[in-house]
């Protein structure tokens, strides 16, 4: 504490004494900007943002091209549109004003681009120049920045300028940046700022020129590849065979970089590709050791196909302890993973491999099925519906493609006591696991389907979820001693059966009529459809038996139910009132064919009796629908084929 009057604040610092008049906050901010190097130029260039750039075009970017002479087809000449020409004339004045401001900014920045790239506002001006500026201005910027890219790429603001050059620039400029960064990728890949740049360079190069992507991967593998890299696109396992005496060192360098990337949260696509290469070269013990270090960060694997593939193998191969940590780590990302075609495969794998179904339900099943509004996106997604169906009917070839199904088969691992002996990685019986998972998901899915039945039935992917829910409920209803009924318990099973009867009744009603306007509007609102889309959807709506997607779903359910004929009888009850109309319709006739082929003898007899009075009348017509023709063969000759 300072001595003297006034205490530690010092002498003469009393209230209102010796204090200068404070500046306005805006003035202070401007004074600080002007005090920086080249502050006046930066302040002048910021005026660019007062201009409307909507009138200016920017380079169209499809694939980020890295080849100097890409093969391109001939451009088609566009037809002149008078309305568009009139709009362009009106925007000429705005366009000239915007170009003039950009030109002024480029002139102000000439000679000091590297210094100004590190400042917040100036870097934004440079990004605007790269996007909307003329070719000459872009070239000037890139020429001045040569030799500075290595420092710029780790700068908080400067790295965004580099990212825009990679995005909007020419192949020659991208290659110049790549050549300048070579030898430094191993450090840049684990830097919090520059990691995203390495990710962008690698991902775009692998789509255009794979040799550049592989050169980055080789550099990440080991320090010894900074100068002399392996020839061609050589994977890590081949490199290790070639460098026999150095194999362990290279492998250790690779693992060190991977661990550093996880520690610094810099797991990007090149790092995941490196993990893919490392995983191929590992023994089972090395894989277990690797999983122990990364299992808590399993959600980081979902950003690329390589990462999702490794995560799928880790869930399949490793023990219960590792799986438990991985499933917990995925809890917050379950919905996003279900919507991604690659990231959904680890979820499919977990549903048939993880023995601890309590953990599985808490961290994967419940978060996915309890969010009723988010569940709409999952059910209507080409990958999300697979996850929902996997919960109820796992590894079904009717909805999972063969190449994915091959990755979901049981896996063997060496026994700890005797490595020569192989044992399965999952010990719980398949049916028991399925029953425990389905019992947790079924009540929520029934509720979901019940509220949005018509809209889900007419969606290509959601109709499969409806089919899975209905057939699973049939299993519960007609087999009281099955594993699923035991897991549900008596009270919950009775509730499911009662709700199934309601679903069947609704399916029967919607099979011959669309929902009423109020109900339809409610359904569309829940599916987050815009008003314009709602009007289009309203025009296309039709009864389920004549809908392109729904009539196929009804056929599959009737076939799955077999001789129990619950849905078949309900459909007949509703269609009998105007049977001639439905027998003459192509799609509804195929639904009746399914009843004739798969239902009970009583239902078949009922169908034949309804069709007999119309047989002669239908035959007299010259052109009848294909479905009607097949229906007649099916009922009166015992032959039939699906559409």
């Amino acid at each position: 504490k300072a001595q003297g009057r006034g205490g530690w604040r010092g002498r003469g610092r009393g209230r209102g004494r010796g204090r200068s008049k404070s500046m306005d906050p805006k003035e202070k901010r401007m004074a600080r900007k002007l005090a920086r190097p080249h502050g006046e130029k930066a302040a002048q260039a910021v005026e660019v943002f007062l201009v409307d750039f909507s009138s200016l075009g920017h380079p169209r970017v499809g694939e980020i091209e890295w080849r100097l002479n890409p093969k391109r087809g001939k451009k088609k000449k566009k037809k002149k549109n008078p309305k568009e020409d009139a709009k362009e004339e009106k925007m000429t004045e705005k366009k000239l004003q915007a170009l003039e401001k950009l030109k002024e900014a480029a002139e102000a920045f000439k000679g000091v681009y590297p210094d100004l790239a590190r400042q917040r506002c100036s870097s934004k001006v440079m990004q605007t120049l790269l996007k909307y500026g003329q070719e000459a201005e872009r070239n000037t910027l890139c020429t001045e920045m040569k030799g500075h890219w290595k420092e710029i790429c780790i700068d908080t603001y400067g790295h965004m300028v580099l990212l825009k050059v990679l995005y909007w620039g020419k192949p020659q400029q991208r290659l110049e940046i790549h050549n300048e960064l070579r030898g430094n990728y191993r450090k840049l890949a684990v830097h919090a700022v520059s990691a995203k740049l390495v990710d962008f360079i690698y991902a775009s190069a692998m789509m255009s020129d794979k040799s550049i992507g592989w050169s980055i991967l080789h550099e990440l593998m080991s320090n010894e590849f900074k100068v002399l890299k392996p020839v061609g696109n050589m994977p890590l396992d081949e490199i290790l065979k070639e460098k026999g005496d150095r194999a362990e060192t290279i492998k250790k360098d690779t693992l060190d970089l991977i661990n550093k990337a996880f520690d610094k949260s810099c797991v990007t696509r090149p790092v995941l590709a490196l993990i893919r290469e490392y995983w191929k070269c590992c023994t089972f013990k090395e894989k277990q050791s690797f999983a122990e270090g990364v299992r808590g960060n399993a959600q980081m694997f979902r950003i690329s196909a390589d990462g999702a593939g490794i995560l799928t193998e880790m869930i399949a191969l490793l023990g219960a302890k590792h799986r438990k940590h991985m499933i917990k780590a995925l809890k917050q990302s379950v919905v996003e993973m279900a919507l991604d075609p690659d990231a959904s495969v680890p979820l499919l794998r977990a549903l048939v491999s993880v023995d601890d179904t309590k953990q599985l339900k808490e961290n994967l099943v419940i978060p996915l099925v309890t969010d009723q509004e988010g569940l709409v996106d999952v059910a209507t997604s080409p990958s999300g519906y697979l996850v929902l169906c996997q919960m109820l009917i796992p590894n079904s070839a009717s909805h999972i493609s063969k190449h994915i199904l091959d990755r979901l088969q049981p896996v063997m691992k060496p026994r700890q006591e005797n490595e020569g002996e192989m044992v399965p990685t999952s010990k719980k019986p398949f049916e028991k696991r399925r029953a425990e998972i389905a019992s947790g998901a079924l009540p929520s899915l029934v509720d979901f389907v019940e509220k949005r039945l018509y809209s889900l039935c007419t969606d290509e992917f959601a109709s499969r979820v409806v089919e899975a829910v209905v057939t699973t409920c049939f299993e519960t209803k007609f087999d009281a001693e099955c594993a699923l009924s035991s897991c549900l318990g008596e009270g919950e099973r009775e509730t499911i059966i009662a709700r199934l009867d309601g679903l069947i009744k609704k399916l029967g009603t919607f099979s011959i009529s669309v929902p009423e306007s109020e109900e339809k509007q409610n359904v569309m609102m829940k599916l987050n459809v815009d008003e314009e889309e709602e009007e289009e959807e309203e025009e296309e709506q039709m009864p389920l038996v004549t809908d392109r997607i729904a009539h196929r779903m009804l056929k599959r359910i009737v076939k799955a139910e077999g001789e129990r004929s619950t849905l078949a009888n309900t459909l007949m009850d509703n269609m009998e009132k105007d049977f001639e109309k439905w027998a003459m319709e192509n799609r509804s006739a195929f639904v009746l064919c399914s009843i004739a082929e798969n239902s009970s003898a009583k239902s078949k007899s009922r169908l034949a009796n309804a069709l007999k009075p119309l047989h002669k009348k239908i035959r007299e017509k010259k052109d009848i629908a294909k479905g009607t023709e097949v229906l007649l063969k099916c009922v009166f000759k015992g032959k039939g084929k699906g559409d």
Side-chain angles (χ1 to χ4, degrees):
K1 197 171 184 181
Q3 297 295 320
R5 198 170 54 183
W8 63 272
R9 290 187 176 185
R11 194 166 181 173
R13 293 291 299 274
R15 184 177 297 175
R17 285 184 290 171
R19 185 175 295 180
S20 61
K21 188 178 178 181
S22 63
M23 296 172 66
D24 183 77
K26 287 185 179 179
E27 292 176 1
K28 280 184 177 180
R29 199 156 50 243
M30 181 55 71
R32 284 198 300 270
K33 286 181 181 178
L34 293 172
R36 292 173 187 163
H38 317 292
E40 290 182 4
K41 292 184 177 182
Q44 180 187 345
V46 169
E47 293 178 8
V48 164
F49 298 122
L50 301 175
V51 180
D52 179 17
F53 288 101
S54 60
S55 60
L56 292 181
H58 51 76
R60 289 189 177 182
V61 178
E63 180 182 330
I64 305 296
E65 188 60 66
W66 284 81
R67 293 167 291 189
L68 293 177
N69 298 309
K71 294 178 181 178
R72 289 175 182 165
K74 292 182 180 178
K75 291 184 179 179
K76 293 182 179 179
K77 290 184 179 180
K78 291 184 178 179
K79 293 181 180 179
K80 291 185 178 180
N81 189 338
K83 290 183 180 179
E84 288 183 5
D85 292 342
K87 280 184 182 178
E88 283 182 11
E89 285 177 11
K90 287 180 183 178
M91 296 178 77
T92 304
E93 190 178 340
K94 285 185 179 179
K95 190 173 182 179
L96 288 171
Q97 186 186 2
L99 287 171
E100 189 61 34
K101 280 290 181 186
L102 283 173
K103 193 174 181 181
E104 288 175 11
E107 286 295 325
F109 277 25
K110 255 185 185 177
V112 290
Y113 277 115
D115 294 330
L116 292 176
R118 294 179 173 87
Q119 296 181 20
R120 179 172 169 268
C121 292
S122 303
S123 73
K124 288 185 177 180
V125 173
M126 291 170 71
Q127 291 170 52
T128 308
L129 275 170
L130 287 165
K131 185 174 182 180
Y132 295 107
Q134 300 295 311
E135 197 64 45
E137 291 160 0
R138 288 194 195 97
N139 292 338
T140 304
L141 188 152
C142 292
T143 303
E144 286 194 24
M145 294 296 290
K146 275 183 187 176
H148 297 277
W149 291 125
K150 194 163 51 175
E151 295 80 28
I152 288 295
C153 71
I154 59 173
D155 184 77
T156 307
Y157 304 119
H159 82 281
M160 292 303 297
V161 176
L162 176 51
L163 190 62
K164 294 300 186 294
V165 174
L166 291 169
Y167 193 77
W168 300 108
K170 291 181 176 180
Q172 180 63 43
Q173 291 162 347
R174 295 187 186 105
L175 288 171
E176 286 173 0
I177 292 170
H178 168 65
N179 290 331
E180 193 170 325
L181 298 181
R182 284 177 73 176
N184 298 281
Y185 279 117
R186 194 171 167 86
K187 289 181 181 177
L188 297 176
V190 290
H191 189 280
V193 174
S194 59
K196 66 179 78 170
L197 292 171
V198 179
D199 177 68
F200 184 87
I201 293 170
Y202 170 81
S204 60
M206 289 300 282
M207 294 176 69
S208 175
D209 187 354
K210 290 190 176 181
S211 61
I212 294 171
W214 275 101
S215 71
I216 294 171
L217 274 187
H218 289 151
E219 198 171 314
L220 297 182
M221 287 174 190
S222 177
N223 281 318
E224 69 179 70
F225 296 141
K226 277 185 180 180
V227 181
L228 189 62
K229 293 184 175 65
V231 179
N233 305 340
M234 191 181 291
L236 183 58
D237 53 352
E238 290 183 20
I239 293 171
L240 296 179
K241 287 177 185 176
E242 191 178 272
K243 308 262 184 184
D245 54 335
R246 298 279 301 152
E248 288 303 317
T249 307
I250 295 169
K251 206 170 176 182
K252 185 179 179 299
D253 287 348
T254 304
L255 183 59
D256 287 344
L257 185 117
I258 292 168
N259 289 333
K260 194 178 288 187
F262 275 97
D263 291 341
K264 295 190 174 184
S265 298
C266 294
V267 180
T268 53
R269 284 172 284 189
V271 173
L272 291 171
L274 193 66
I275 295 172
R276 177 199 68 205
E277 294 298 312
Y278 176 76
W279 187 265
K280 290 178 186 176
C281 309
C282 289
T283 61
F284 180 73
K285 284 185 177 179
E286 287 172 334
K287 288 178 180 179
Q288 278 190 316
S289 176
F290 172 76
E292 194 169 345
V294 301
R295 64 192 182 188
N297 297 306
Q299 76 282 357
M300 293 183 181
F301 285 87
R302 68 186 175 90
I303 64 173
S304 77
D306 292 325
I310 295 300
L311 182 58
T312 303
E313 290 190 35
M314 286 168 64
I315 292 172
L317 190 63
L318 303 177
K321 190 176 179 181
H322 295 305
R323 287 172 178 165
K324 180 180 176 180
H325 286 278
M326 284 188 277
I327 295 301
K328 279 186 177 180
L330 296 178
K331 183 176 181 178
Q332 301 301 323
S333 311
V334 168
V335 176
E336 291 83 355
M337 289 179 72
L339 296 172
D340 186 88
D342 295 317
S344 61
V345 180
L347 301 182
L348 299 178
R349 178 82 251 187
L351 289 167
V352 292
S353 295
V354 178
D355 290 339
D356 189 350
T357 49
K358 183 181 177 182
Q359 285 288 339
L360 200 60
K361 284 194 281 188
E362 285 178 6
N363 298 294
L364 194 154
V365 177
I366 302 300
L368 197 58
V369 300
T370 49
D371 180 10
Q372 292 285 310
E373 296 304 320
L375 199 54
V376 173
D377 295 329
V378 176
T380 54
S381 162
S383 57
Y385 89 95
L386 295 176
V387 180
L388 299 179
C389 291
Q390 186 81 337
M391 294 177 186
L392 304 177
I393 311 171
N395 286 7
S396 172
S398 63
H399 55 263
I400 300 179
S401 60
K402 188 178 182 301
H403 79 278
I404 294 179
L405 206 55
D406 291 340
R407 298 169 66 184
L408 304 180
Q409 297 308 309
V411 176
M412 307 294 282
K413 67 176 182 179
R415 188 186 287 276
Q416 289 184 353
E417 299 81 10
N418 181 13
E419 291 190 3
E421 186 182 349
M422 303 298 285
V423 294
T425 56
S426 299
K427 297 177 182 178
K428 184 170 283 191
F430 188 84
E431 277 302 319
K432 187 177 180 182
R433 184 194 296 107
R434 178 249 173 176
E436 290 172 358
I437 294 170
S439 64
L442 189 58
S444 297
L445 288 177
V446 170
D447 186 46
F448 169 68
V449 169
E450 204 170 34
K451 289 177 181 177
R452 303 163 176 83
L453 184 61
Y454 182 84
S455 296
L456 295 177
C457 288
T458 54
D459 182 84
E460 182 180 357
F461 305 113
S463 61
R464 291 283 186 173
V465 178
V466 176
E467 180 191 345
V469 168
V470 172
T471 51
T472 307
C473 289
F474 278 144
E475 179 188 343
T476 307
K477 179 178 180 179
F478 295 114
D479 190 355
E481 297 181 359
C482 70
L484 179 56
S485 297
S486 302
C487 288
L488 282 170
E490 193 60 35
E492 200 166 16
R493 176 174 173 268
E494 292 301 325
T495 305
I496 293 291
I497 292 170
R499 296 180 78 178
L500 172 64
D501 294 339
L503 276 178
I504 296 298
K505 189 177 178 181
K506 262 189 170 184
L507 279 173
T509 304
F510 294 159
S511 65
I512 60 165
S513 61
V514 295
E516 293 179 6
S517 56
E518 288 183 4
E519 187 177 353
K520 183 165 55 182
Q521 188 177 358
N522 186 37
V523 169
M524 300 307 293
M525 284 173 64
K526 287 180 179 176
L527 283 170
N528 302 320
V529 179
D530 295 330
E531 290 180 6
E532 292 179 6
E533 293 176 356
E534 186 180 337
E535 288 174 9
E536 292 174 9
E537 191 71 24
E538 191 172 350
E539 291 174 6
E540 296 176 1
Q541 282 183 333
M542 54 183 67
L544 296 184
V545 290
T546 57
D547 183 81
R548 179 178 64 87
I549 293 164
H551 89 281
R552 295 177 183 273
M553 181 203 71
L554 293 172
K555 284 173 58 181
R556 292 193 297 268
I557 294 175
V558 168
K559 184 178 179 180
E561 190 185 9
E563 295 189 357
R564 295 162 185 153
S565 303
T566 309
L567 179 60
N569 291 332
T570 305
L571 290 174
M572 286 298 299
D573 289 340
N574 286 276
M575 294 169 78
E576 267 182 342
K577 297 170 187 175
D578 198 359
F579 191 78
E580 183 178 351
K581 174 188 172 182
W582 303 118
M584 297 293 288
E585 280 275 355
N586 185 50
R587 289 170 179 165
S588 56
F590 277 116
V591 175
L592 293 171
C593 284
S594 184
I595 295 173
E597 290 175 337
N598 303 294
S599 299
S600 63
K602 187 178 178 181
S603 297
K604 290 177 183 177
S605 175
R606 184 180 177 185
L607 175 60
N609 292 335
L611 196 59
K612 271 179 186 177
L614 304 173
H615 189 193
K616 188 176 179 182
K617 186 178 178 181
I618 293 171
R619 283 294 182 193
E620 287 174 355
K621 290 195 175 185
K622 290 183 179 179
D623 52 336
I624 61 172
K626 181 67 177 175
T628 308
E629 190 180 333
V630 174
L631 176 62
L632 293 175
K633 289 181 182 178
C634 213
V635 173
F636 298 112
K637 294 185 180 180
K639 294 180 181 179
K641 52 185 178 182
D643 60 336

